[in-house]
């Protein structure tokens, strides 16, 4: 993606320039690698180091990218989900000629929102109703912090209903590229694409 990475070794007194913070440290990505390294170190005590990149949560360059869902499989027509979705969301087509990503950002400015694209070219915008009682939603965590995450609500209320819409086994893929998600529905055989806004750093 055009990102340049530089790596160098720090030894001795120079290590004092990198004190561990007196604050919680979150493993936001690479947790599988970290768990694997920890398990390996238990078997091989000499392997007592793991490569990590630590960044301040207030660094303006720190962003969380959205991960969009691609659903493949027969019988999974998003238009068949309109009745259950309307119980939770205000549903409307994205107007013709409007950039869907800009529309999604605007929809989700102050509430949970997503886009659902279909092979027929239609793109629906779903915006969570202000009075939606998420504590009653099936398959949604009991924690208020979890319920506040777009990805949790969209997964439980939009993605899972599409996946369960038919008895055949679906395939679920993920992409960080919204254009790829839309193209997969138009010409790549996907039954639906669900596009999300990114999680905000302060939510993490």
């Amino acid at each position: 993606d055009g990102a340049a990475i530089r790596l160098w070794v720090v030894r001795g007194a120079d290590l004092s320039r990198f004190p561990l913070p007196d604050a919680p440290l979150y493993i936001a990505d690479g947790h599988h690698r970290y768990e694997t390294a920890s398990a390996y170190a238990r078997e091989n005590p000499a392997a007592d180091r793991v490569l990590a990149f630590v960044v301040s949560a207030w660094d303006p360059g720190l962003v969380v990218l959205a991960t969009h869902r691609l659903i493949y499989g027969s019988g999974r027509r998003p238009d068949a989900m309109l009745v259950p979705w309307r119980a939770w969301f205000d549903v409307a087509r994205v107007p013709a000629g409007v950039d869907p990503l800009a529309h999604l950002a605007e929809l989700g400015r102050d509430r949970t929102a997503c886009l659902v694209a279909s092979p027929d070219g239609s793109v629906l915008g779903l915006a969570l109703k202000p009075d939606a009682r998420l504590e009653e939603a099936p398959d949604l965590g009991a924690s208020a912090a979890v319920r506040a995450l777009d990805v949790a609500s969209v997964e439980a209320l939009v993605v899972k209903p599409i996946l369960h819409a038919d008895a055949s086994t679906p395939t679920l893929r993920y992409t960080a590229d919204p254009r790829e998600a839309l193209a997969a529905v138009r010409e790549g055989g996907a039954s639906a694409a669900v596009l999300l806004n990114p999680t905000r750093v302060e939510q993490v």
Side-chain angles (χ1 to χ4, degrees):
D1 296 326
I5 298 174
R6 290 189 301 149
L7 192 67
W8 61 96
V9 175
V10 178
R11 292 191 176 92
D14 286 341
L15 287 172
S16 64
R17 293 166 44 210
F18 304 97
L20 286 175
D22 184 20
L25 187 63
Y26 298 96
I27 302 176
D29 193 12
H31 50 280
H32 300 295
R33 290 184 289 274
Y34 179 79
E35 290 169 7
T36 301
S38 297
Y40 185 77
R42 284 193 295 274
E43 298 175 5
N44 302 273
D48 61 352
R49 300 288 187 274
V50 60
L51 183 65
F53 172 67
V54 181
V55 61
S56 167
W58 292 274
D59 189 311
L62 177 63
V63 295
V64 180
L65 300 177
T67 303
H68 312 292
R69 275 63 172 162
L70 293 170
I71 299 167
Y72 295 82
S74 62
R76 284 168 177 84
R77 293 171 42 241
D79 58 343
M81 303 288 109
L82 289 177
V83 171
W85 284 344
R86 285 194 171 116
W88 299 102
F89 298 94
D90 294 322
V91 181
R93 286 182 182 271
V94 176
V98 172
D99 175 38
L101 299 178
H103 186 75
L104 175 58
E106 180 60 27
L107 266 184
R109 193 163 42 86
D110 55 3
R111 56 179 166 162
T112 292
C114 69
L115 300 182
V116 180
S118 301
D120 64 4
S122 67
V123 181
L124 295 174
L126 281 66
L128 192 68
K129 292 181 176 180
D131 59 351
R133 297 177 60 84
L134 291 179
E135 67 275 10
E136 299 175 1
D139 301 322
L140 191 53
S143 159
V146 169
R147 291 197 299 270
L149 296 173
D150 286 13
V151 66
S153 296
V154 170
E155 190 78 18
L157 302 174
V158 179
V159 176
K160 284 185 178 178
I162 298 176
L163 292 175
H164 298 156
D166 189 87
S168 62
T169 303
T171 300
L172 182 62
R173 284 189 48 232
Y174 303 90
T175 178
D177 185 343
R179 306 294 177 190
E180 177 188 342
L182 293 171
V185 175
R186 284 194 310 267
E187 56 214 34
S191 299
V194 180
L195 281 70
L196 298 90
N197 282 312
T199 300
R200 297 189 303 277
V201 172
E202 57 268 26
Q203 289 179 299
V204 176

